[in-house]
Amino acid sequence: MNLEQAKQIVKDILPEKRYIHTLGVIESALSLAKEHGVSEEDAGIAAALHDMAKFHDKQEMRAVIVDRELDPALLQFHHELWHAPVGAVFAKEKLNITNEEILNAIRYHTTGRPGMSDLEKVIYLADYIEPGRSFNGVENVRAVAHEDLDEAMKIALKQSIQFLISKNQPVFPDTLASYNEYVQKEK
């Protein structure tokens, strides 16, 4: 599968607004990949497919999590987190994507995780900083992401955690563990 094929697949299944977001993620991912020596082909495909399950039926996503024995902790958190791991399953099973780095980039683009590859970081950050995003702190993460993926991840994760806490929402364990990894690297 190439980038154009991946874009066509998601264009046919995503609402127009989410497809425009996806195009922004692709643009950001390709730029970050080029700057940080990551495969642009892999980054483009992962970016194109990252939200492929975003608007899938919640009960069907729940069934995929249970049937494929994905992390059961997902079911204790907001369903907004489900589309990433379910999207990785769909990419593998429906689109025959076998590249584990691409699948992991899709799988962890909402939560992060300890030990992320540079491709995973590129997709996480591209989703966070794509040109359509406008929230307090995004410009700083945009600037830092072009210089240092790890520092940008630390800032983005911290902002995400602070946002969830401000809304009295639970924070997924992988997100906390990922943030801790970046903070502990500094010491």
Side-chain angles (χ1 to χ4, degrees), residues 8-68:
Q8 189 58 54
I9 288 166
V10 296
K11 185 175 185 177
D12 292 343
I13 59 175
L14 294 177
E16 183 177 1
K17 186 176 179 183
R18 183 53 51 164
Y19 181 67
I20 291 168
H21 158 76
T22 297
L23 294 177
V25 175
I26 293 167
E27 175 188 332
S28 295
L30 291 174
S31 174
L32 290 173
K34 185 173 189 168
E35 292 167 356
H36 294 288
V38 172
S39 166
E40 292 176 62
E41 180 180 358
D42 291 353
I45 292 169
L49 300 178
H50 83 285
D51 272 351
M52 68 180 288
K54 180 89 172 169
F55 295 94
H56 208 73
D57 178 77
K58 281 184 264 201
Q59 292 310 315
E60 288 181 32
M61 285 197 287
R62 175 184 289 276
V64 170
I65 291 168
V66 172
D67 294 345
R68 302 310 186 288

